[in-house]
Each structure stands twice: as C-alpha cells, then as structure tokens.
Amino acid sequence: MIPVIREQNMLSATIFRMLLALTIHHTLTADVPPTGVAPETSSPPASPATPGPPERGSYNVTNSSDAVCLLARMGLQLNISFISSPYDKTVQEVLNVHPNLVKSSGSCDPDSATLMLTEDNITLTFSFSLNSTSNKYHLSGLELSAAFPDVAKRLVFRNTSLNYMVGTLGHSYMCQKEKTLSVTQDFSLNTFQLQVQPFGVSGDFGAAEECDLDEDDMLIPIIVGAALAVLVLIVILAYLIGRKRSHAGYQTI
Ligand SMILES: *[C@@H]1O[C@H](CO)[C@@H](O)[C@H](O)[C@H]1NC(C)=O
Ligand SMILES: *[C@@H]1O[C@H](CO)[C@@H](O)[C@H](O)[C@H]1NC(C)=O
Ligand SMILES: *[C@@H]1O[C@H](CO)[C@@H](O)[C@H](O)[C@H]1NC(C)=O
Ligand SMILES: *[C@@H]1O[C@H](CO)[C@@H](O)[C@H](O)[C@H]1NC(C)=O
Ligand SMILES: *[C@@H]1O[C@H](CO)[C@@H](O)[C@H](O)[C@H]1NC(C)=O
Ligand SMILES: *[C@@H]1O[C@H](CO)[C@@H](O)[C@H](O)[C@H]1NC(C)=O
C-alpha cells in the first residue's frame, strides 16, 4: 500500500516539476528582447556580491642580517566604503587579498615593526609596537591605500591608535576565527586563521597566545567539566552520608 502511494506522489511531483519548468521556460523566452537591441536604461552597478573566505597567506619580514624578524599567517578581507564618482553613489566593497598576487615587505626595529602587503593598486600596512617595559606588543596602526578605476583620488584610510593583537614578547598571537578589526568609519579588516609574531622571532612562531574569541570556545568545555565535577562530588557525598546512616542504623539494632 505505502509504496504505491509514494510512487503516485513521486509521479505527480515529477509532472508538477515538468509543468513548472515548461511554464518558466515559456515566460523567459517570451521576455527575451529581440537580439541586437541594447537595453536603454543604464543603472549604476549593484554592489558586487561578498566573496567567500579569503585564502590564507604566509608573509615574512627579514632584517638586515637576513634573519626572519616578523612572521604572519592569515587570510585577509577588506571592507571599504567609498563614493564612486560616475554615479556619485556610496559603494560598499568587500575584497579578498590574494596571497599569490601579494608582494610583501617590511621592517623590524627594536620597538616597532611593519608589514606591508601590496596587491595591484592596493597597499595594506600593519604597524606593530612593543612596550619594552611590560614586554607586550600590539597592532597599533593600520593603513590602507587604494586606487580604483572609478574613483578620482587615491583612497587612504589610516588609524595609528589601534590596540589589536595584544601579545607577549617571544610568543605569537593567534586567532583562528574570523575577526573584524574596525579601522576607520569607512574601512574595516576581516582576518581569518591568523597567527602573527612581530617581535622576538627565533626561526619559527613562539608558543601561541589565543585571542579572546578562541578562549570563548574553551569556556563551554570548562563549564561542562566544572558541572560534572560538582555532580561527582554530590554523588560521593550522598554515598558517604548514606553509608554513615545505615552504619548508625545497624549499631542501634
Ligand atoms: C616564512 O617563514 C616560515 C617559518 O620560518 C616558513 O615556513 C615559510 O615558508 C616562510 N614563508 C615565506 C613566504 O617566506
Ligand atoms: C636580525 O634578527 C636576528 C633574529 O631575531 C637577530 O639575532 C639579529 O641581531 C638581527 N639583526 C639586526 C641587524 O637587527
Ligand atoms: C562591511 O561593512 C559594512 C558596514 O560596516 C557591514 O554592514 C557589512 O556587514 C560588512 N561586510 C563584511 C563582509 O564584513
Ligand atoms: C590602478 O590605478 C590606475 C590609476 O587610478 C588605474 O588606471 C588602473 O586601472 C588601476 N589598476 C587596477 C588593476 O585596478
Ligand atoms: C608600557 O607598559 C608600562 C607598564 O604596563 C606602562 O606603565 C607604560 O605606560 C607603557 N608604555 C607605553 C608607551 O605604552
Ligand atoms: C581609531 O581607532 C580607535 C580605536 O578603535 C577609535 O576610537 C578611533 O575613532 C579611530 N580613529 C579614526 C580616525 O577612525
């Protein structure tokens, strides 16, 4: 009985789909304008679709004695808003950085380090600072300079008073999850699978200090573990109390 009903349902579904496809096809073909006639309206282009997650790149800076002094591994996505001149319209552009097209450079000084990434007409500069009293470093500045064909002037977004990627000298800073770094009102940087070490590099990344987002991930297992420990304690206590009581009971008899 059941298989027959299923078959009937499938058959009617197939017929329905075929009818639907035919109807859509008919509507579409009826709407196609005669070939050779260009559409008259020219509306401004819609903001392009958001690209998928960016590819992870590996960027190194070497010092004057050819030793690696800054290490970075990360996927980068730029989120820029600017006014496109042909239409005088604000455009929100989300661009992925392509590691294979990037030229990287930089410099390392005792208490500051920079990483400069250039792809086509876009240059992104990271500035790191080290506090030699506290032995803590952080990302203190980000600058994006970009030239787009539909923008007259070169766009520059800069903030030199940031406080991101705080780490301890000799350690690397790691953030596996996507993180949005707000730079200016019109520019933010999305980072993916990030690990950086701007100071105290000896060959490879030092022990990683995870960002708070990754630490949040650890919070749930910690809570579950603590709850389990409390539960076990209660069971043990209940058992001990129960044993004591029954023991006392035997004694009175
Ligand atoms: C950067 O350095 C790391 C570790 O020293 C190395 O594995 C990697 O290949 C280097 N990447 C580049 C692009 O030089
Ligand atoms: C370059 O970096 C290496 C490793 O961190 C360090 O030992 C060396 O002194 C640095 N050289 C200069 C000129 O800063
Ligand atoms: C880009 O920035 C805009 C404005 O801040 C925000 O609404 C949008 O979600 C961002 N997009 C991405 C992919 O980060
Ligand atoms: C780079 O900028 C110049 C001048 O604004 C422009 O003519 C050129 O098309 C741009 N190149 C790319 C790849 O965007
Ligand atoms: C460096 O760290 C010390 C101790 O935390 C702090 O008192 C000092 O203001 C910091 N210096 C800078 C330039 O941030
Ligand atoms: C730079 O970043 C700081 C901290 O995020 C913020 O308070 C400040 O408004 C930013 N400056 C500019 C020019 O956007």
Side-chain angles (χ1 to χ4, degrees):
M1 285 292 273
I2 294 163
V4 175
I5 293 167
R6 265 205 202 127
E7 235 168 69
Q8 274 180 345
N9 278 347
M10 267 168 71
L11 190 67
S12 49
T14 313
I15 291 170
F16 176 73
R17 272 195 219 111
M18 278 169 70
L19 283 175
L20 193 69
L22 277 174
T23 320
I24 291 169
H25 181 73
H26 183 77
T27 327
L28 284 179
T29 42
D31 280 349
V32 166
T35 48
V37 176
E40 281 163 49
T41 51
S42 133
S43 55
S47 295
T50 305
E55 208 185 311
R56 194 186 198 198
S58 190
Y59 312 106
N60 298 345
V61 176
T62 50
N63 66 10
S64 50
S65 50
D66 258 357
V68 175
C69 57
L70 184 153
L71 284 168
R73 263 196 310 212
M74 54 197 170
L76 297 169
Q77 190 174 66
L78 315 172
N79 188 348
I80 320 166
S81 116
F82 58 88
I83 293 170
S84 158
S85 37
Y87 309 106
D88 207 18
K89 175 178 174 263
T90 304
V91 178
Q92 188 83 39
E93 189 118 38
V94 178
L95 298 169
N96 282 351
V97 170
H98 303 97
N100 51 336
L101 302 177
V102 166
K103 287 190 178 66
S104 72
S105 61
S107 63
C108 297
D109 289 307
D111 58 3
S112 68
T114 60
L115 172 66
M116 194 188 263
L117 305 177
T118 303
E119 177 181 339
D120 285 335
N121 282 345
I122 295 173
T123 298
L124 181 64
T125 309
F126 295 80
S127 304
F128 295 93
S129 305
L130 176 69
N131 181 331
S132 47
T133 316
S134 61
N135 276 347
K136 290 270 186 186
Y137 62 79
H138 68 282
L139 176 70
S140 54
L142 267 172
E143 178 176 324
L144 175 73
S145 162
F148 293 108
D150 53 351
V151 180
K153 273 196 295 186
R154 200 173 173 84
L155 299 167
V156 177
F157 308 91
R158 182 191 303 120
N159 192 332
T160 54
S161 52
L162 301 174
N163 191 21
Y164 295 125
M165 304 183 197
V166 180
T168 312
L169 181 65
H171 292 238
S172 61
Y173 174 88
M174 183 155 86
C175 205
Q176 292 290 339
K177 285 193 176 178
E178 175 182 355
K179 198 155 193 182
T180 299
L181 311 183
S182 170
V183 182
T184 68
Q185 205 178 344
D186 295 328
F187 169 50
S188 61
L189 180 70
N190 298 330
T191 64
F192 299 73
Q193 294 182 287
L194 174 134
Q195 188 171 15
V196 294
Q197 187 169 344
F199 299 100
V201 175
S202 53
D204 206 351
F205 282 111
E209 290 178 349
E210 303 240 347
C211 65
D212 22 296
L213 277 179
D214 291 346
E215 276 165 7
D216 276 356
D217 261 3
M218 291 297 297
L219 211 64
I220 291 163
I222 287 170
I223 290 169
V224 170
L228 276 177
V230 167
L231 204 70
V232 166
L233 213 71
I234 288 170
V235 168
I236 290 173
L237 277 176
Y239 169 76
L240 287 177
I241 291 168
R243 214 173 64 151
K244 208 175 173 187
R245 276 217 186 128
S246 59
H247 201 66
Y250 285 130
Q251 272 185 335
T252 49
I253 291 168

